[in-house]
Amino acid sequence: MSALAGGEAAKAKATSAGRRRLPKALTSLLPLALALIAVGAYATSQTDLFLTSQNLSTLVQQIAVLGVLAAGTTLLLAAGMFDLSIGALAALLSVIGAKLAEGGSGELTILIVCLACALLAGALTGSIVALLRVGPFILTLGAASVYASLALVVAGGRPVPASDVFATLGLGEWFGLPSAGIVLAVVLLLAALLLRYARLGRNAYAVGSSEDTAFLAGIPVARVKIALFSLSSLLVGIGGVILLGRLGAGDPVGGAGLELQAIAAAVLGGASLGGGRGSILGTMLGVALLGTIANALTLLGVQAFWQQFAYGMVLIIAVILTALREHGLLAHARRTLDTRLGRLRPAR
Amino acid sequence: MSDEERRNRGEVPALELQGVSKRYGPTLALDDLRLTLAAGEIRGLVGENGAGKSSLIKAVAGAMVPDVGTVTIGGHRLTPPTPTVARRLGVSVLFQERQIAPDLSVAENVLLGALPRRQWGGVDWPNAYRRAATELERVGIELDPRLSAGRLTPAEQQSIEIARAISRDARVLIMDEPTAALSGTESERLFSLLRNARERGVAVLYVSHHLPEIFELVDSVTVMRDGRVVATQPIETVELDRLVELMFGRSLEGEVAELDEAPVDGEVLVQADHLVVGDVLRDVSLDVRAGEIVAVTGGVGSGRRELARCLAGAQRPDRGVVRVGRGLRRVRSPHGAARAGVAFVPEDRKREGVFLELDLTENINVATEALHRVPVVRPRRRRGISDRWITRLGVRAPGSAIPAGALSGGNQQKVILGRWLEAGARVFVLDEPTAGIDINAKLDIYELLKDLAAAGAALVVFSSDFEEIRLLAHRVLVLRRDKGPTWLGRKALSERSLFEIGVAP
C-alpha cells in the first residue's frame, strides 16, 4: 500500500491517465498498420497494376464478405466466444438466395429470407451456448458441418447460377464507389459504435473479461450471449447476399474457410480467444492486410496455392510477436524493473 | 556416520528456511522468514488469514520462487525451486483441495505417476493393485484399490493422498487445513496416521485454524504474522490465550469507533427461510433489518460460501426461499438480486469481483448499466461517475483509465463497493470483505460499512476474521459442518468463545 502513496501515484498519473490512452490504442495497432503499408509498398514497387483505382475497387470487393463476417466475429470474440459455422452459413444462404431467384423471387424477398434465416440460426446457436452451457467450439463445428451439407443438398452439388441477382451489390458501384465497400463501411461503423457506446458492447467486453464477475455484477450473461450470436449471424446474412452477388451464383462451397480467416483477422487486430479484447479498427486492418496479401500475390503471378501459406505465416508471426510482448524477455525485464521501483503495473 | 543416519537421528533438520522473503506487488508476503523443523516432529503452523502461511507452503513445495533466502530439505538446497525437485527431496503437500483424479481407481491414485509396468509398456495391474493395497495398509487404511476414487468420502480421498505421500518416501509432509472437511472420528484417525508417520521419522508441518486440534496433535507450534515467524514454542509451554494474542498481534480496537446499537424497528430487507443446499447447508434461516450488520462465520465446508451465493442469487438453494429488498422480492439470479438492491462482494476478488483487464470506469459503471434499460452509454458521464467514486472512497489510483488489475486488493475492493453504491444498493452481501487487504484500507472499509448501516442499509458480512466480526457485527450466525447453526449476540463475542465452540475459519 505504502508503495502506492502520494508522489508515485501522482507520477503514474502523468504518464498513464491522460496522455497514454490514445497512443496506447495506436501503438498496439502500429505493427499491423506497418505490415499493411509494407505489403502495399512492395506490391506497388513490383507492378503498376496494384495502385490503380480499378484494382483498389476490386480489392475492396474481394474483402467485403470477409470484412462483414470478421466484424461479427469481433463482437463474439470480445465476449470470449466465436462461431465456426459462419463460412458454411454464408454459403448456404447464398445457395438459398440463388434458388429463390431461380424461382422468380425479387431481391427484397431474397434479402429478407436470408436475413431471417441467419437471425434464426444465430439465435438458436446463441441459446444453446448460453442456456445449455455448451462450449461454442464443438457446437459451431457441428453446425458448420450441417450447414455445409445442407448447402450441397439444396444446390444439388454444383453452383446455382443467378447472374443478375445483387450484381450491383456484389460488383457494381454506388456514387462512384464499390457498393460492397459501402456496405462494409456501414457495417464496420455500426459494429464499432456498438462495441464502444452500446450497453451490449460494454457488456460483451465484461463477459469476455470475466464471465463470473459479469454474472455476479448483475449482467444478464445469457441474454448478452444470445444477442451477440444473433447479431453476428445477421451479419453473416449480409455477407451471404454479397457473396451471391459477387459470384453471380449460389456456390455451396463458396464460404469455405471464411470463419478461420475472420478469426485470424480479428486476432491480428488485437482480439484474443480468451475474450475481453479486440476492436473493429483492428479487425478492419487485419482484414485489409489479408485481402491485400491475396490481391498482391495474384497480381504478382504467384500461384494461388501460396495464399493460405502467406495467411498462416502472418498469423503465426503475429501471435509470436504478441507473446513476446506479453510474456517474453522484454516484458519480463520491464516487469522486474517495475517491481524493483515499486511502480504501478497491470496484473498481467 | 552416513548422511542418512545423521538425518534419521535428527541432526540434520528435515526442513530449514533461512531469510526467505517474497514480495507480491505492494505486499510483502514473506518477510525474512526463518524456520527449522526436525525429523520426527509434528509442528503446528498458525496465523490469521494473510499471515503468509500459504506462501510458506508454496516456497517449500517449489511452487513459488522466493526473492531472497534459501530453503533446505534434509540438508539439500531446494534448487532450482521447482515442484519436481521438492518432491524428489521428499516434500509432500496435501492442499485443502483434494489432489485426486476422480475418474481413476484408488490404485492409480495411490501410485499416481508410478504405476508398475510390464515389459512392453502395459500396466501390470495385478502388481499395481497389490502394491496399492500394501501402501494403504501401511498407513492403516482398508480400501478396495479397484474402486473409483471419485466415489469415496473426502476423508478416504485424503487418506489416499497420505498413502501416496508415504509411498513416495516423503520426509516432509505438509498439511493445509486437513480436517476442514472431516468429521470428528475421521479427524481422530488422521491424527493417529500422522503420529504413525512421526514414528517413522517424517517431519509434519500441520497448518490449521482449529486451535483445539493444534493442542491435541502437535509437538510444537509456530505462529506467523505479516509474513514473519513471531514465535515458535513447545506446545506444553503455550496457553490458548497467549496463542490467540500472538496470532492477532496489534488490536484494531480503539481505532474503529464503537458500533451503534442496531435499530429494532428497521424494515426487514433480507429474509432467508429454511435454506438447504446439498448436505453442507442444512435448514438455515436469517432475517436482517435495515441498519443492521449480521456476521456469518464458519469453517470450510460449513456452507458459508453457499449461503452467501444464495443470498446474492448466484446459486439456487435446493429448498427454501430468499427474499430481499423493499417488498421482499424473491431472488432467482444475480441480475434479479441486483434489481432488488442487493450488492454482492465475492470472496475471490480477482476471479469474481473485478474485471482485471478493464479500466475503473468499466468496473464501476457495470452494475448500474446492467440494471438500467438505457441501451447506450455516454463515455464522458460514466468517466465522471467513476472519478467521483474514486475520490469519495479514497481509491489510490491515478484516475479511472487504468486497469483494475493494477490496483492493490484494498483498492480493488473499494472499486467493487463503489460499483454497488453507484447502483443504489441497499442490501450488502460481503464475503470476506477484507481478506488479504492492508490495514489502512481495512479501516476505511470498516468505516464505510458502518456508515452504510447507519444510513439504513442491511449488511451480511461473511467472515473468518474474528476481530472484524467483533468490530462490525450486531449479531453473529455460526455455521458448523456437523451441527446446526447457532446465533451469538454481540455481548457473547470474543475470539476465545468462537475458538472454543470450534469454528475455525
Side-chain angles (χ1 to χ4, degrees):
Chain A
M1 194 65 231
S2 57
L4 290 183
E8 272 146 352
K11 251 185 285 168
K13 179 172 189 155
T15 51
S16 94
R19 275 178 289 146
R20 212 153 119 201
R21 208 172 139 70
L22 191 64
K24 198 183 149 200
L26 286 185
T27 48
S28 64
L29 291 179
L30 200 62
L32 186 56
L34 288 178
L36 181 59
I37 292 169
V39 172
Y42 180 73
T44 311
S45 72
Q46 295 298 308
T47 166
D48 294 336
L49 297 173
F50 180 75
L51 205 60
T52 63
S53 65
Q54 173 65 44
N55 183 52
L56 291 184
S57 288
T58 310
L59 173 57
V60 169
Q61 282 164 354
Q62 283 168 346
I63 64 172
V65 177
L66 175 61
V68 171
L69 265 53
T73 296
T74 308
L75 300 182
L76 287 174
L77 282 174
M81 302 181 297
F82 50 82
D83 186 344
L84 294 177
S85 70
I86 57 176
L89 181 59
L92 173 62
L93 293 172
S94 79
V95 168
I96 291 175
K99 276 285 177 190
L100 286 172
E102 221 176 48
S105 301
E107 289 191 345
L108 186 64
T109 319
I110 296 174
L111 181 69
I112 291 174
V113 170
C114 281
L115 293 188
C117 287
L119 198 60
L120 192 71
L124 190 65
T125 312
S127 301
I128 296 175
V129 167
L131 302 177
L132 303 182
R133 304 192 185 181
V134 174
F137 184 89
I138 301 296
L139 177 69
T140 61
L141 194 63
S145 183
V146 168
Y147 298 150
S149 170
L150 279 180
L152 284 167
V153 170
V154 173
R158 68 180 89 84
V160 181
S163 54
D164 291 338
V165 196
F166 294 115
T168 325
L169 179 62
L171 300 164
E173 294 188 340
W174 292 335
F175 321 111
L177 293 168
S179 37
I182 293 179
V183 174
L184 174 62
V186 171
V187 164
L188 289 173
L189 183 68
L190 288 178
L193 291 176
L194 179 98
L195 273 181
R196 187 153 171 71
Y197 294 104
R199 202 173 53 147
L200 179 62
R202 303 323 298 174
N203 284 348
Y205 284 116
V207 170
S209 177
S210 166
E211 189 172 332
D212 290 331
T213 305
F215 177 63
L216 294 177
I219 290 178
V221 174
R223 253 185 275 167
V224 170
K225 288 183 172 177
I226 295 172
L228 291 171
F229 267 105
S230 304
L231 266 177
S232 164
S233 281
L234 191 66
L235 293 180
V236 176
I238 295 174
V241 170
I242 301 177
L243 193 64
L244 173 60
R246 234 175 67 71
L247 299 178
D251 184 353
V253 293
L258 278 177
E259 63 282 344
L260 295 181
Q261 286 177 30
I263 292 174
V267 169
L268 282 176
S272 117
L273 290 184
R277 289 196 277 174
S279 69
I280 293 293
L281 181 65
T283 299
M284 196 171 82
L285 287 174
V287 169
L289 179 62
L290 295 186
T292 308
I293 289 175
N295 179 281
L297 288 179
T298 314
L299 290 184
L300 298 176
V302 178
Q303 254 189 336
F305 307 131
W306 284 101
Q307 185 181 322
Q308 295 293 328
F309 178 88
Y311 282 5
M313 288 310 290
V314 167
L315 195 61
I316 290 169
I317 292 169
V319 291
I320 290 176
L321 284 180
T322 310
L324 282 180
R325 199 170 60 195
E326 283 179 8
H327 327 285
L329 281 175
L330 277 174
H332 182 72
R334 206 180 54 219
R335 263 202 303 275
T336 313
L337 200 65
D338 281 359
T339 319
R340 292 273 155 78
L341 301 175
R343 271 196 223 133
L344 276 177
R345 66 191 164 91
R348 299 221 292 175
Chain B
M1 202 180 337
S2 76
D3 261 13
E4 188 60 30
E5 286 167 61
R6 279 179 37 216
R7 215 164 288 141
N8 287 341
R9 288 164 55 118
E11 287 168 24
V12 174
L15 172 66
E16 190 169 20
L17 283 87
Q18 284 177 317
V20 173
S21 294
K22 177 71 182 180
R23 173 182 287 282
Y24 290 110
T27 50
L28 206 53
L30 293 179
D31 184 5
D32 191 27
L33 190 88
R34 286 154 202 284
L35 184 103
T36 309
L37 187 55
E41 178 183 1
I42 300 183
R43 170 77 56 85
L45 180 64
V46 297
E48 58 177 334
N49 288 333
K53 303 188 298 285
S54 331
S55 300
L56 185 155
I57 295 176
K58 282 191 201 156
V60 178
M64 170 261 270
V65 184
D67 295 334
V68 291
T70 58
V71 178
T72 315
I73 296 153
H76 300 281
R77 254 193 84 173
L78 177 60
T79 177
T82 63
T84 323
V85 174
R87 198 179 308 152
R88 206 166 50 224
L89 292 178
V91 176
S92 259
V93 184
L94 269 70
F95 292 98
Q96 268 182 48
E97 304 78 28
R98 298 277 63 85
Q99 314 285 311
I100 287 282
D103 298 321
L104 301 187
S105 68
V106 169
E108 286 166 286
N109 270 290
V110 171
L111 305 172
L112 203 62
L115 278 175
R117 301 273 167 190
R118 286 186 192 283
Q119 197 176 4
W120 299 100
V123 175
D124 184 354
W125 287 110
N127 192 3
Y129 289 132
R130 212 167 37 242
R131 272 193 35 202
T134 318
E135 294 298 347
L136 288 165
E137 218 168 283
R138 255 173 81 186
V139 293
I141 312 152
E142 244 175 78
L143 266 180
D144 182 354
R146 288 171 181 79
L147 284 179
S148 164
R151 297 170 61 182
L152 305 178
T153 66
E156 289 171 327
Q157 294 183 345
Q158 192 180 47
S159 41
I160 291 181
E161 282 192 76
I162 297 174
R164 186 196 299 158
I166 304 291
S167 78
R168 283 177 184 167
D169 199 23
R171 307 309 299 162
V172 178
L173 185 59
I174 303 180
M175 311 204 75
D176 190 4
E177 294 282 353
T179 55
L182 303 189
S183 71
T185 43
E186 289 169 338
S187 301
E188 283 304 326
R189 255 228 338 242
L190 171 69
F191 293 167
S192 66
L193 254 168
L194 291 178
R195 292 192 185 105
N196 199 332
R198 169 175 62 189
E199 296 313 310
R200 269 178 292 147
V202 176
V204 180
L205 188 61
Y206 188 90
V207 181
S208 178
H209 277 96
H210 199 38
L211 298 190
E213 71 187 32
I214 290 284
F215 281 94
E216 184 185 339
L217 175 70
V218 306
D219 303 318
S220 55
V221 62
T222 291
V223 185
M224 280 188 76
R225 196 170 70 222
D226 303 329
R228 293 166 166 273
V229 168
V230 291
T232 296
Q233 287 183 18
I235 196 71
E236 310 87 59
T237 66
V238 197
E239 302 243 315
L240 179 62
D241 285 323
R242 174 70 185 138
L243 198 57
V244 171
E245 201 184 307
L246 283 168
M247 281 169 68
F248 292 94
R250 119 169 128 118
S251 169
L252 291 177
E253 216 143 354
E255 298 194 41
V256 179
E258 189 67 23
L259 191 65
D260 293 332
E261 283 293 308
V264 286
D265 53 348
E267 188 185 356
V268 174
L269 288 179
V270 180
Q271 192 177 65
D273 268 338
H274 302 289
L275 296 188
V276 176
V277 175
D279 59 356
V280 279
L281 200 64
R282 291 179 222 155
D283 195 26
V284 173
S285 298
L286 171 76
D287 277 0
V288 189
R289 291 177 183 279
E292 199 180 17
I293 305 180
V294 169
V296 182
T297 190
V300 177
S302 67
R304 208 176 64 190
R305 178 181 151 84
E306 287 75 13
L307 180 58
R309 289 178 63 86
C310 284
L311 293 184
Q315 177 175 356
R316 295 212 195 158
D318 296 335
R319 262 183 290 144
V321 184
V322 176
R323 293 191 165 84
V324 290
R326 287 242 161 97
L328 289 173
R329 273 189 282 169
R330 199 167 165 174
V331 169
R332 290 194 169 84
S333 67
H335 183 71
R339 204 166 269 292
V342 177
F344 183 41
V345 180
E347 178 180 9
D348 191 342
R349 204 158 35 233
K350 286 188 165 25
R351 235 170 49 79
E352 301 184 330
V354 290
F355 300 105
L356 292 171
E357 307 94 333
L358 301 186
D359 66 21
L360 302 187
T361 301
E362 301 293 340
N363 270 287
I364 287 177
N365 283 284
V366 61
T368 313
E369 286 167 7
L371 297 182
H372 290 201
R373 289 259 167 240
V374 199
V376 292
V377 299
R378 295 192 302 195
R380 195 165 304 163
R381 197 179 114 81
R382 62 210 297 267
R383 171 62 53 85
I385 288 171
S386 55
D387 281 344
R388 204 158 59 237
W389 284 113
I390 286 171
T391 317
R392 204 185 292 175
L393 297 177
V395 177
R396 304 235 182 135
S400 294
I402 64 161
L407 300 182
S408 69
N411 287 310
Q412 288 178 350
Q413 201 71 311
K414 287 180 184 178
V415 165
I416 299 172
L417 286 166
R419 171 195 302 169
W420 290 113
L421 291 169
E422 175 61 26
R426 293 211 46 204
V427 174
F428 289 79
V429 178
L430 308 119
D431 197 356
E432 298 290 357
T434 62
I437 284 180
D438 67 278
I439 195 95
N440 294 315
K442 215 172 190 172
L443 292 174
D444 286 352
I445 288 173
Y446 289 163
E447 288 307 326
L448 177 65
L449 296 185
K450 291 209 284 190
D451 289 349
L452 284 171
L459 284 80
V460 189
V461 180
F462 291 78
S463 179
S464 53
D465 180 336
F466 296 127
E467 185 155 49
E468 175 168 299
I469 293 171
R470 209 171 47 193
L471 292 171
L472 283 181
H474 293 112
R475 290 187 286 150
V476 183
L477 173 62
V478 182
L479 298 177
R480 281 172 296 177
R481 204 178 120 77
D482 36 8
K483 295 165 215 150
T486 323
W487 284 95
L488 288 180
R490 190 163 170 63
K491 300 220 169 57
L493 279 183
S494 71
E495 268 151 20
R496 199 177 159 154
S497 71
L498 285 169
F499 274 126
E500 277 171 356
I501 54 173
V503 275

